[in-house]
Amino acid sequence: MGNQRFRKVLVFFLVLSFIAGGGISGGRTAATTFAAEAGAGEAPGPEPTGQPQETLSPAETPGIPDEKTPSPAPDHTASPPPVQTPGGEPEPPEPTAVPTQKPVNGKFVLTNKGASYAKGGQTGIHYRKVKGKKIYHIKSYTTDKVQLSMSQPASFSIYGGGSKKEVKKKLATVSSKGLVTCHRRGKGEKLYTVVKAVSKTTKEIQYIYIYFQKKLTCSNGKGIHLYEKHTDQLSFDYDYRKVTISVSSKKKLKVSRKGHIEALKHGTAYITIKVKGSQKNEVRIKVIVQKEPWIVSSKDKLYDYEDMTGDLRSLIKKYPGWTGLQSIGESYDDRQIWCLRIGSRSASRKLVIDAAIHAREWKNTQIIMRQAEEILRDYREHRKRFANTCIYIIPMDNPDGVSISQYGFEAIRNKKLRKKCEKAGYAKIWKANARGVNLNNNFPAGFIKKKKKKPHYMNYFGKKAGSERETKALMKFINEIEPKAVLNLHSMGNVLYWDFNVEGEMHDSLREFAEKVSSFNKYALMPKSGSTDAAGGFADWLVYKKGIVSITVETGSVRCPLPHSQFKTIYKRNNEMFRWFMTEY
């Protein structure tokens, strides 16, 4: 009974001490004092430590002991001082309790940045789909590992996936520290998995759904070869807004944010395409930029019909869709009169450049062929222009005559034709065709009959106007396409013939055309003279009979056939002029 009374008194003092604000410590002190004064037979527990105590909820407030609800364990971070018994001997301390680690904010949560927390939304999960509760959602990539970060120490396991078989195959694994790895990395492959995380402290469970998105792939392959000034387009299976594109050398390559590549300078550079927010979801492409080899040689000292024909075929093969090649007629010795088209054949505006109507002026053939290739190299820059304008280049109007000038009369395979030409002589400075007719006097515009009555290397104009195959081919072609303007290439003199006996708008157009050409090549504009009187010339027929603007550019400063040493100078002086005519006129 005495003990029972003692307990009641002790409880009473404890409650009074707590209400008075003395807390547990004050209550215990009072109770201890009371017990010491009362001389109780049982020693009280040890003194509390000096550490501050957590504020407890009303349900946890120590008061009247409840056998079913144990009181919270005291804080043992510091050793309590020994309690003196009434007899003066210190009591032995109680055993140290194992501390319980409390969760952050009292909750077991995933702390990964960017993770969402919601019900459902588990696309692709058909095995152990978590239903009816909120779970975490993370997006990643098959190339990347995901480190799960929980607010409490946890154990991890793969819980669900696309199928039970998929989970057994361990296409996704998780380490004891929460590192999730995807083992499916094929082209276009994705993976869906659910990870189960169990708190080692509270045994709470959280589920994390991870969507591993596909690996980035590029259809251009791992290597690209480009010529200087050429372009290409990267093709990858992610929206360009979701990737970043970088290049190792901006001096060699220019790459837009949409993957358009422009080769600037020869050498090697690397392009890296990386998915934004990813660790390793990227593609690295090696780009080799080379100097583009020329098809049309600038070093060939004798550029002949076979060279031209081979180069024309190579150009249309290299630039399909941009070019076309046709024969507008055939010579008497069975050579084709080739015409190269640059641009769309359906274009409303058509321009013509022709050369070598006079046989010994064959250096212009090489010049205009080289110029045509240069324009094709830069075709992409002028794509819009060539949708509305088409350039027709006839590099050798007179292939038989050119062959005679270059190789002599043996170049003519037809024996009868060869004998006629041999009688006329002067093969090297030959101007006529294989029948000894000067084609530039054979058109029906001021045609002069019977100046010479037999084949001649330059002064026989034919039996009648338009009598020659080459003349007929040119006239037919012009009538078919109806060009806006024609630029005739001749040699020599570094001059321009333009001032025909016309007035009004046509004369103004001819002057404007000639002055623009002269502004580039600095050739002199020749005044009106016998050279622009109608005398059966191709330009005469174009201006007087067809009403087509046409001027004659006379290249070179020495007698024909021009030596190859003239090539560089002529090309340099006329390069910008040709580009202007093809791309702006």
Side-chain angles (χ1 to χ4, degrees), residues 410-429:
E410 291 299 318
I412 302 301
R413 295 160 293 199
N414 185 295
K415 292 181 180 180
K416 290 182 179 180
L417 290 174
R418 190 190 312 148
K419 286 181 179 181
K420 286 182 179 181
C421 294
E422 286 174 340
K423 288 180 181 179
Y426 301 100
K428 189 173 182 179
I429 57 172

Side-chain angles (χ1 to χ4, degrees), residues 58-70:
E60 296 171 322
T61 302
I64 300 174
D66 190 342
E67 293 181 359
K68 295 182 180 179
T69 307

Side-chain angles (χ1 to χ4, degrees), residues 284-301:
R284 193 165 184 254
I285 302 167
K286 182 179 181 180
V287 182
I288 298 175
V289 180
Q290 297 173 316
K291 287 188 174 181
E292 185 176 6
W294 286 91
I295 291 173
V296 180
S297 173
S298 63
K299 297 180 180 180
D300 192 345
K301 294 182 179 180

Side-chain angles (χ1 to χ4, degrees), residues 113-178:
K113 186 178 179 180
S116 63
Y117 190 58
K119 286 185 180 181
Q122 300 161 57
T123 302
I125 300 297
H126 306 291
Y127 175 65
R128 286 185 174 176
K129 189 171 186 177
V130 181
K131 298 179 180 179
K133 62 174 67 177
K134 288 185 176 182
I135 72 168
Y136 290 97
H137 297 76
I138 294 177
K139 285 185 178 181
S140 185
Y141 303 92
T142 58
T143 54
D144 299 354
K145 294 183 179 181
V146 178
Q147 178 62 61
L148 299 177
S149 178
M150 307 302 297
S151 62
Q152 301 174 16
S155 60
F156 301 92
S157 61
I158 299 297
Y159 179 77
S163 66
K164 186 175 182 180
K165 185 178 180 181
E166 187 178 276
V167 173
K168 282 187 175 182
K169 282 186 175 182
K170 297 183 178 180
L171 296 180
T173 56
V174 61
S175 72
S176 60
K177 294 184 178 181

Side-chain angles (χ1 to χ4, degrees), residues 542-557:
L542 289 167
V543 174
Y544 293 123
K545 298 296 182 180
K546 299 297 295 180
I548 295 171
V549 174
S550 178
I551 66 171
T552 298
V553 179
E554 296 275 357
T555 66
S557 57

Side-chain angles (χ1 to χ4, degrees), residues 461-480:
F461 303 157
K463 291 182 179 181
K464 62 178 180 179
S467 61
E468 303 307 291
R469 288 184 180 179
E470 297 87 350
T471 308
K472 291 176 180 177
L474 288 168
M475 292 171 63
K476 180 182 178 184
F477 178 70
I478 293 298
N479 287 331
E480 286 175 352

